[in-house]
Amino acid sequence: MDTNGGAAVKVVPVRHVGQWIGLAFLALFVSMLVHTIFSKISSGVTSCHKVAGIKTCHAVMTWRFGWNSIFHYFTDGLVLKGLIVTLELTVYAMVIGIVLGVLVAVMRLSHNRLLSGAAWTYTWAFRGTPVLVQILLWGNIAFLYPKLAIGIPFTHLYLVHFGANSVFTLFSAAVTALGLNEGAYFSEIVRSGLIAVDEGQSEAAMSLGMSRGQTLRLVVLPQALRVIIPPTGNEVISMLKTTSLVSVIAVVDLLGAVTNIYNQTFQIMPMLIMASLWYLIISTILSIGQFYLERRFAKGALRTPPLTPIQRIRQDLRGIASKYRTKRGIQAGVTP
Amino acid sequence: MVEAIGVRKSYVGVEVLKGVTLSVARGEVSCLIGPSGSGKSTLLRCINHLEKHDSGELLVDGELVGYELRGDKLYELTDRRICDERSQIGMVFQRFNLFQNLNVLENITVAPIKVKGVGDAQAKKFARELLVRVGLEGKEKNYPTQLSGGQQQRVAIARALAMEPKLMLFDEPTSALDPELVGEVLDVMKDLARSGMTMMVVTHEMGFAKEVADTVYFLDQGVIEESGDPKTVLTSPSSPRLQSFLSKVL
C-alpha cells in the first residue's frame, strides 16, 4: 500500500466554503455597526461665517451616539456618586444574601420540621414575587408601619420608638429588598451544593462521633464550596445589574444619576449608553475575578485547570512560532 | 461486647432484618457473610446507630444502642449521647469515605481533636504512630485523591483507630478495591485482629474469614441461617442455602 516510498505525504485539509461566506457576511455587518456607532449626523444647527466678504453656511455635524456628551459626563461627580451607590448596594445585598442563603439552606435540610418549614416558606415568598415589587413594598413600608418600637408585644408599652422613615431610609429599604430576595435564590444554590456532597462523607463523620453541626462545618460545607462558588460569581454580576431597579424608590444609583442628568440636558441616549458602558466595565472586572476564583477552587477536582487568557495567548504564540519554524525547516530541507 | 436479640429493621415496607440474634465477645473477630441484600450491612449500621432498628434489643458493651432503660420504659437518647456512643465504635466503609477536603493527617486527627478534645500535638503524634502501623508513614500531607484505593482504606482504618474504639465494624472493606490491593488492607486487618481488637467484618473474602475469624455468621434474607467456627461453616455447611452460596463464591 505504501506507494510513496516512505516520503512524507502532503495533507490537504478540508476546505470549509460555508465558513468563509459566513465570515464575509459577519465582516460586512461588523463594519456597518462600527460605521453607525462612529458616524456623525447633522445637528440641525447651521453655522455661517464670512470669508473674504462671501458668506458660507454649513450644517454643524455631531456624533450620532453623542460621544462628546458621554466623554464629558463619564467621570462627572454625580455619575461617580451614583456608581458608588450601585457598588454599595451590590456589596451589601450580596453579603446579606449569602449569609441568609447559607442559613436558610442549612435550615431547609434540617430534620426539624419547624426550621425546614420556615426556610421553605421564606424561599417560596421571596422567590415567588418580582424583585421590583419587593423593592416598592420595602420602599413604602412606612404606610404599613409608620412607627417602629421595641417593647412588650400586644401592649402599648414601649422602651423606644421612632418614625419608620428616620431609621429605615430608602437606601436601607433597597438593601433589605435586594438582600432578602437574593437570600432566597442563594439558599437554593447552597442547598444544591450541600446535596452534591457524597452522603458517605457525612456518614463517616457521624460514625466518628461528630455532631450534625460539626459534620456540616468541618466536612460538608467545605466540600460544597466547590459547587457553590461558580454560581456565586454569576449572582454578583446579576446583582450589579438588578440594583438599577432601586431608582423606582428614588434611590440615586448609577441609573438614577444618569436619569437626573438627562432630565435636565435631554441627552437621553448618550446618558443611557454611558450607564451601559459603566455597567459593562464593572461586570467585566467581576467576570475576571470570577474566572480566577473558579480556577482556584477547581484545584484538586480538575487534573488540569483551565488556562488563564494570558497563558492561552502565550500558548497560541508558541504554536504559531513552532509551525513557522518547521515550515522553514522543511523548505530548507527541500531546496538546499 | 455486642449482643443482639431479635433485632428487626424494615425500610418502607421491606423487612431487611427479621429477628437477628448474635453475641460477640470482647476480643472476638466475627465475619458476616451472605448474598447481597441479606441484611449484613444493615446490621452493622444498626450497631453504631447510623440506622435505627425497629424492635429487638441491641447492646454494645452492656449498653443499649440509641436507647436508655429507665424503669420499664425505653427512652430515646439525645443526639449528644448518640454521638458519644458512636465515638466509641469505629467504622470502615466499602467506599473509604475519607474526607476529601482534608489531608491524611487531618483526616485522622479531626475527630480526636474536635470530638474527644485531645490536644493538637498529641493527636498528631498518635496519628503518625497509626500511619506507621498501617504502613503509610510519609503520606501525612497527601490528599485522599492522591492515594490508591488500598492506601485510602488503610488511612480510613487509621482514622477509625484514632478514636481508640472498643469495637471496629468493617462494611465490605475490600469490595471496592482492585484485586492486587486487597491483600494490603487484609494484612492490616489481620494485624489488628491479632492485637485483640473486637471486630465485626462484613466480607466476601472467604480466605480472610477462614484464617482470622473466630465465628462466621451466614445471613440470608434477614436471618442468621448458620453460624459457628469458620472451618465447620465454610467447609462443611449444613444448610442448603449456604451450600449454594459457597459454591458460587468459592
Side-chain angles (χ1 to χ4, degrees), chain A residues 299-313:
Chain A
K299 253 178 209 167
L302 296 177
R303 217 165 284 179
T304 45
L307 295 177
T308 64
I310 296 164
Q311 285 173 334
R312 207 177 319 152
I313 289 167

mmCIF file of all heavy atoms in Angstrom, chain A residues 299-313:
data_model
loop_
_atom_site.group_PDB
_atom_site.id
_atom_site.type_symbol
_atom_site.label_atom_id
_atom_site.label_comp_id
_atom_site.label_asym_id
_atom_site.label_seq_id
_atom_site.Cartn_x
_atom_site.Cartn_y
_atom_site.Cartn_z
ATOM 1 N N LYS A 299 -9.035 23.473 41.946
ATOM 2 C CA LYS A 299 -7.823 22.736 42.311
ATOM 3 C C LYS A 299 -8.192 21.446 43.036
ATOM 4 O O LYS A 299 -9.005 21.443 43.947
ATOM 5 C CB LYS A 299 -6.954 23.592 43.213
ATOM 6 C CG LYS A 299 -5.724 24.115 42.487
ATOM 7 C CD LYS A 299 -4.907 24.990 43.384
ATOM 8 C CE LYS A 299 -4.157 26.018 42.546
ATOM 9 N NZ LYS A 299 -3.596 27.064 43.350
ATOM 10 N N GLY A 300 -7.562 20.355 42.656
ATOM 11 C CA GLY A 300 -7.866 19.093 43.322
ATOM 12 C C GLY A 300 -8.999 18.367 42.642
ATOM 13 O O GLY A 300 -9.037 17.164 42.628
ATOM 14 N N ALA A 301 -9.934 19.126 42.045
ATOM 15 C CA ALA A 301 -11.065 18.493 41.372
ATOM 16 C C ALA A 301 -10.724 18.238 39.908
ATOM 17 O O ALA A 301 -11.057 17.201 39.362
ATOM 18 C CB ALA A 301 -12.305 19.356 41.475
ATOM 19 N N LEU A 302 -10.072 19.207 39.259
ATOM 20 C CA LEU A 302 -9.688 19.055 37.868
ATOM 21 C C LEU A 302 -8.207 18.716 37.793
ATOM 22 O O LEU A 302 -7.403 19.249 38.555
ATOM 23 C CB LEU A 302 -9.933 20.362 37.098
ATOM 24 C CG LEU A 302 -11.376 20.818 36.996
ATOM 25 C CD1 LEU A 302 -11.444 22.155 36.285
ATOM 26 C CD2 LEU A 302 -12.192 19.795 36.246
ATOM 27 N N ARG A 303 -7.860 17.811 36.870
ATOM 28 C CA ARG A 303 -6.456 17.452 36.755
ATOM 29 C C ARG A 303 -5.665 18.610 36.158
ATOM 30 O O ARG A 303 -4.599 18.945 36.615
ATOM 31 C CB ARG A 303 -6.316 16.199 35.892
ATOM 32 C CG ARG A 303 -5.227 15.294 36.408
ATOM 33 C CD ARG A 303 -5.329 13.921 35.809
ATOM 34 N NE ARG A 303 -6.401 13.130 36.393
ATOM 35 C CZ ARG A 303 -6.694 11.911 36.007
ATOM 36 N NH1 ARG A 303 -6.040 11.347 35.040
ATOM 37 N NH2 ARG A 303 -7.677 11.252 36.580
ATOM 38 N N THR A 304 -6.223 19.237 35.093
ATOM 39 C CA THR A 304 -5.563 20.422 34.545
ATOM 40 C C THR A 304 -6.524 21.594 34.612
ATOM 41 O O THR A 304 -7.567 21.575 33.968
ATOM 42 C CB THR A 304 -5.167 20.204 33.065
ATOM 43 O OG1 THR A 304 -6.277 19.602 32.410
ATOM 44 C CG2 THR A 304 -3.961 19.328 32.938
ATOM 45 N N PRO A 305 -6.205 22.611 35.408
ATOM 46 C CA PRO A 305 -7.084 23.779 35.485
ATOM 47 C C PRO A 305 -7.095 24.512 34.152
ATOM 48 O O PRO A 305 -6.121 24.455 33.407
ATOM 49 C CB PRO A 305 -6.430 24.632 36.579
ATOM 50 C CG PRO A 305 -5.025 24.168 36.668
ATOM 51 C CD PRO A 305 -5.010 22.744 36.234
ATOM 52 N N PRO A 306 -8.207 25.184 33.821
ATOM 53 C CA PRO A 306 -8.271 25.924 32.563
ATOM 54 C C PRO A 306 -7.182 26.996 32.505
ATOM 55 O O PRO A 306 -6.819 27.559 33.522
ATOM 56 C CB PRO A 306 -9.665 26.556 32.591
ATOM 57 C CG PRO A 306 -10.083 26.524 34.024
ATOM 58 C CD PRO A 306 -9.408 25.340 34.630
ATOM 59 N N LEU A 307 -6.673 27.249 31.268
ATOM 60 C CA LEU A 307 -5.615 28.244 31.128
ATOM 61 C C LEU A 307 -6.168 29.636 31.368
ATOM 62 O O LEU A 307 -7.318 29.923 31.050
ATOM 63 C CB LEU A 307 -5.031 28.177 29.708
ATOM 64 C CG LEU A 307 -4.305 26.886 29.327
ATOM 65 C CD1 LEU A 307 -3.866 26.964 27.878
ATOM 66 C CD2 LEU A 307 -3.118 26.653 30.228
ATOM 67 N N THR A 308 -5.349 30.517 31.943
ATOM 68 C CA THR A 308 -5.741 31.919 32.022
ATOM 69 C C THR A 308 -5.604 32.506 30.621
ATOM 70 O O THR A 308 -4.867 31.965 29.793
ATOM 71 C CB THR A 308 -4.833 32.691 32.985
ATOM 72 O OG1 THR A 308 -3.507 32.668 32.456
ATOM 73 C CG2 THR A 308 -4.835 32.069 34.372
ATOM 74 N N PRO A 309 -6.295 33.623 30.321
ATOM 75 C CA PRO A 309 -6.193 34.208 28.972
ATOM 76 C C PRO A 309 -4.748 34.472 28.574
ATOM 77 O O PRO A 309 -4.365 34.235 27.430
ATOM 78 C CB PRO A 309 -6.972 35.509 29.111
ATOM 79 C CG PRO A 309 -7.922 35.271 30.227
ATOM 80 C CD PRO A 309 -7.234 34.339 31.176
ATOM 81 N N ILE A 310 -3.942 34.943 29.532
ATOM 82 C CA ILE A 310 -2.542 35.250 29.213
ATOM 83 C C ILE A 310 -1.795 33.974 28.847
ATOM 84 O O ILE A 310 -1.057 33.921 27.864
ATOM 85 C CB ILE A 310 -1.862 35.953 30.412
ATOM 86 C CG1 ILE A 310 -2.547 37.300 30.652
ATOM 87 C CG2 ILE A 310 -0.363 36.138 30.171
ATOM 88 C CD1 ILE A 310 -2.258 37.910 31.987
ATOM 89 N N GLN A 311 -2.050 32.899 29.605
ATOM 90 C CA GLN A 311 -1.405 31.622 29.303
ATOM 91 C C GLN A 311 -1.830 31.124 27.927
ATOM 92 O O GLN A 311 -1.035 30.578 27.173
ATOM 93 C CB GLN A 311 -1.783 30.577 30.351
ATOM 94 C CG GLN A 311 -1.067 30.778 31.684
ATOM 95 C CD GLN A 311 -1.591 29.834 32.747
ATOM 96 O OE1 GLN A 311 -2.731 29.393 32.674
ATOM 97 N NE2 GLN A 311 -0.769 29.537 33.732
ATOM 98 N N ARG A 312 -3.124 31.359 27.590
ATOM 99 C CA ARG A 312 -3.642 30.874 26.319
ATOM 100 C C ARG A 312 -2.976 31.615 25.157
ATOM 101 O O ARG A 312 -2.588 31.010 24.163
ATOM 102 C CB ARG A 312 -5.161 31.035 26.266
ATOM 103 C CG ARG A 312 -5.784 30.016 25.337
ATOM 104 C CD ARG A 312 -7.299 30.100 25.325
ATOM 105 N NE ARG A 312 -7.849 30.303 26.658
ATOM 106 C CZ ARG A 312 -9.001 30.921 26.879
ATOM 107 N NH1 ARG A 312 -9.703 31.391 25.882
ATOM 108 N NH2 ARG A 312 -9.455 31.067 28.097
ATOM 109 N N ILE A 313 -2.825 32.939 25.311
ATOM 110 C CA ILE A 313 -2.179 33.726 24.259
ATOM 111 C C ILE A 313 -0.745 33.251 24.071
ATOM 112 O O ILE A 313 -0.272 33.032 22.951
ATOM 113 C CB ILE A 313 -2.216 35.227 24.614
ATOM 114 C CG1 ILE A 313 -3.646 35.756 24.484
ATOM 115 C CG2 ILE A 313 -1.284 36.023 23.695
ATOM 116 C CD1 ILE A 313 -3.862 37.114 25.090
#
